[in-house]
């Protein structure tokens, strides 16, 4: 009888945790709209200007080096041809909305073909990114850090004035290195529409519906 009661308690807490996580995710709105890089977003309603040179659909990624959190190698994404790139930019991985965004990139994007490289970019240090990946059990994603000078954020028009972090955004790049999709989330406390990015990535990989 005691064993059955213990099992019931364990099951209760598991259901509680699952429902609690689902409720938290539902409470974070998903923005379907986008603003132009290099213009302005909001952080909890407060206007935040975006600094740098705006990227555009139909143009290549800028040639800027980032640091791979796992290998500590310098990476220039503009030179990575032959694969579709799905880039998820977050202000900081150690915040709830950024964590939710990254979990969805890893877990919601499980149906995305292997030819699509799912990449997280932030201004967190490589060490913080590596710690997050292990703790979140999302080591199948690639983590690139722009922690030094924020050159990638500035060269895309995603650098937030004052905060000096990435605006929450998503880019999809085709196999030729040309940008084909951009979403800059208008309100930084909201999530991006990653489902739309997944559809575009599958289409570019030749596996669209």
């Amino acid at each position: 009888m005691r064993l059955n009661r213990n099992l019931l308690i364990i099951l209760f807490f598991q259901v509680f945790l699952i429902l609690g996580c689902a409720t938290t995710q539902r409470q974070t709105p998903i923005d379907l709209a986008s603003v132009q890089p290099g213009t302005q977003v909001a952080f909890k309603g407060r206007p935040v200007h975006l600094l740098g040179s705006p990227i555009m659909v139909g143009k290549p990624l800028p040639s800027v080096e980032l640091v791979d959190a796992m290998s500590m190698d310098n990476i220039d994404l503009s030179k990575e041809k032959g694969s579709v790139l799905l880039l998820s930019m977050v202000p900081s991985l150690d915040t709830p909305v950024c964590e939710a965004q990254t979990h969805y990139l890893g877990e919601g994007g499980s149906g995305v073909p292997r030819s699509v490289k799912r990449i997280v970019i932030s201004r967190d240090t490589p060490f913080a990114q590596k710690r997050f990946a292990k703790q979140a059990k999302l080591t199948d994603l690639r983590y690139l850090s722009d922690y030094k000078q924020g050159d990638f954020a500035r060269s895309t028009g995603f650098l937030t004035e004052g905060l000096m972090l990435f605006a929450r955004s998503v880019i999809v790049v085709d196999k030729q290195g040309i940008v084909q999709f951009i979403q800059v989330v208008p309100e930084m406390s909201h999530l991006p529409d990653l489902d739309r990015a997944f559809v575009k990535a599958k289409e570019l990989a030749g596996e669209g519906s």
Side-chain angles (χ1 to χ4, degrees), residues 88-126:
S88 173
M89 275 64 63
V90 297
S92 175
L93 287 166
D94 289 323
T95 58
V97 181
C98 297
E99 183 178 2
Q101 179 176 334
T102 307
H103 269 281
Y104 198 72
L105 179 70
E107 297 159 6
S110 58
V112 174
R114 287 185 177 274
S115 58
V116 176
K117 295 182 179 179
R118 291 170 292 161
I119 301 171
V120 180
I121 306 177
S122 72
R123 296 209 63 203
D124 297 301
T125 66

Side-chain angles (χ1 to χ4, degrees), residues 8 70 86 94 98 117 138 141-142 187 202 205:
L8 285 173
M70 301 304 172
L86 201 168
D94 289 323
C98 297
K117 295 182 179 179
L138 291 170
L141 300 175
R142 192 173 178 190
E187 167 56 63
K202 289 180 182 179

Side-chain angles (χ1 to χ4, degrees), residues 55 59-63 77-78 85 87 152 156 171 173 177-179:
I55 60 166
K59 300 292 184 180
L61 282 176
S63 180
L77 289 175
S78 70
L85 307 181
L87 313 180
F152 187 81
T156 51
I171 302 174
V173 183
I178 305 301
V179 175

Side-chain angles (χ1 to χ4, degrees), residues 36-39 50-56 60-64 66 77 87 89 121 146 150-159 166-167 169 171 179 182 184:
Q36 293 295 319
T39 57
L50 300 180
L51 307 175
S53 305
I55 60 166
M56 298 173 60
L61 282 176
S63 180
V64 177
L66 296 159
L77 289 175
L87 313 180
M89 275 64 63
I121 306 177
D146 194 24
D151 289 339
F152 187 81
R154 194 179 295 275
S155 67
T156 51
F158 293 162
L159 186 65
F166 274 96
S169 45
I171 302 174
V179 175
I182 302 170
V184 183

Side-chain angles (χ1 to χ4, degrees), residues 21-208:
C21 290
T23 302
T24 300
Q25 290 178 350
R26 285 200 302 269
Q27 288 176 342
T28 305
I30 296 174
D31 261 335
L32 304 181
S34 178
V35 301
Q36 293 295 319
T39 57
Q40 179 176 290
V41 294
F43 179 62
K44 296 183 178 180
R46 181 174 62 85
V48 179
H49 294 289
L50 300 180
L51 307 175
S53 305
I55 60 166
M56 298 173 60
V57 169
K59 300 292 184 180
L61 282 176
S63 180
V64 177
E65 287 190 341
L66 296 159
V67 179
D68 187 299
M70 301 304 172
S71 67
M72 295 302 293
D73 292 334
N74 291 329
I75 304 296
D76 184 346
L77 289 175
S78 70
K79 297 177 180 177
E80 297 211 2
K81 308 290 176 63
S83 296
V84 174
L85 307 181
L86 201 168
L87 313 180
S88 173
M89 275 64 63
V90 297
S92 175
L93 287 166
D94 289 323
T95 58
V97 181
C98 297
E99 183 178 2
Q101 179 176 334
T102 307
H103 269 281
Y104 198 72
L105 179 70
E107 297 159 6
S110 58
V112 174
R114 287 185 177 274
S115 58
V116 176
K117 295 182 179 179
R118 291 170 292 161
I119 301 171
V120 180
I121 306 177
S122 72
R123 296 209 63 203
D124 297 301
T125 66
F127 309 103
Q129 290 182 335
K130 189 173 183 179
R131 171 182 49 78
F132 172 88
K134 290 183 177 179
Q135 290 179 349
K137 298 181 180 178
L138 291 170
T139 53
D140 56 331
L141 300 175
R142 192 173 178 190
Y143 298 82
L144 300 181
S145 175
D146 194 24
Y147 77 103
K148 292 180 180 179
Q149 301 295 330
D151 289 339
F152 187 81
R154 194 179 295 275
S155 67
T156 51
F158 293 162
L159 186 65
T160 55
E161 185 177 35
L163 299 171
M164 303 307 284
L165 300 172
F166 274 96
R168 194 176 307 284
S169 45
V170 180
I171 302 174
V172 182
V173 183
D174 67 20
K175 295 177 183 179
Q176 290 72 45
I178 305 301
V179 175
Q180 298 294 348
F181 174 90
I182 302 170
Q183 184 191 11
V184 183
V185 181
E187 167 56 63
M188 289 179 64
S189 63
H190 294 177
L191 289 166
D193 185 8
L194 275 171
D195 284 335
R196 190 155 48 119
F198 293 154
V199 170
K200 186 65 176 179
K202 289 180 182 179
E203 175 191 315
L204 294 172
E207 301 189 26

